[in-house]
Amino acid sequence: MALALCGCTSVQVADRGESRVYLGVVRVTVPDRAGDLVAYSVKTAGAGWHRGPWLGWRSDTWVEADPAKCQLLVVIRSGVEARNAAEVLRALEGRNACVADYTGSLRH
């Protein structure tokens, strides 16, 4: 799921009390997920605050997972990565693997 916004956007990082602020044209993408993890991507042209002020173009991606619940973390960003990940996940039989899929291939 992707959402493009124009204006001010604040992204709150789960369970960390950390906030990121974006001003301008902002696109927030939340990937398909499997397992107990938090993942999203933000692209923006404008200004903002994350551990200090910034101005211009910024692209950030966050994936957070509890190592006790996710012994393998797979981030899929392309079709080629999706095919390789599918082979690895089949071999693991789904045991303690967490997946952040930015291609949407988990739905297929």
Side-chain angles (χ1 to χ4, degrees), residues 24-49:
V25 179
V26 181
R27 181 176 185 195
V28 179
T29 303
V30 178
D32 292 338
R33 296 172 309 280
D36 188 14
L37 61 94
V38 174
Y40 56 91
S41 174
V42 178
K43 292 180 177 23
T44 187
W49 182 272

Side-chain angles (χ1 to χ4, degrees), residues 5-9 22-27 44-47:
L5 304 170
C6 190
C8 178
T9 303
Y22 302 92
L23 303 167
V25 179
V26 181
R27 181 176 185 195
T44 187

Side-chain angles (χ1 to χ4, degrees), residues 9-67:
T9 303
S10 176
V11 176
Q12 184 71 33
V13 180
D15 299 332
R16 292 183 58 191
E18 185 177 332
S19 186
R20 297 167 172 109
V21 177
Y22 302 92
L23 303 167
V25 179
V26 181
R27 181 176 185 195
V28 179
T29 303
V30 178
D32 292 338
R33 296 172 309 280
D36 188 14
L37 61 94
V38 174
Y40 56 91
S41 174
V42 178
K43 292 180 177 23
T44 187
W49 182 272
H50 175 222
R51 297 187 183 133
W54 58 268
L55 177 64
W57 169 256
R58 186 169 178 122
S59 177
D60 294 313
T61 300
W62 295 275
V63 178
E64 295 183 16
D66 180 354

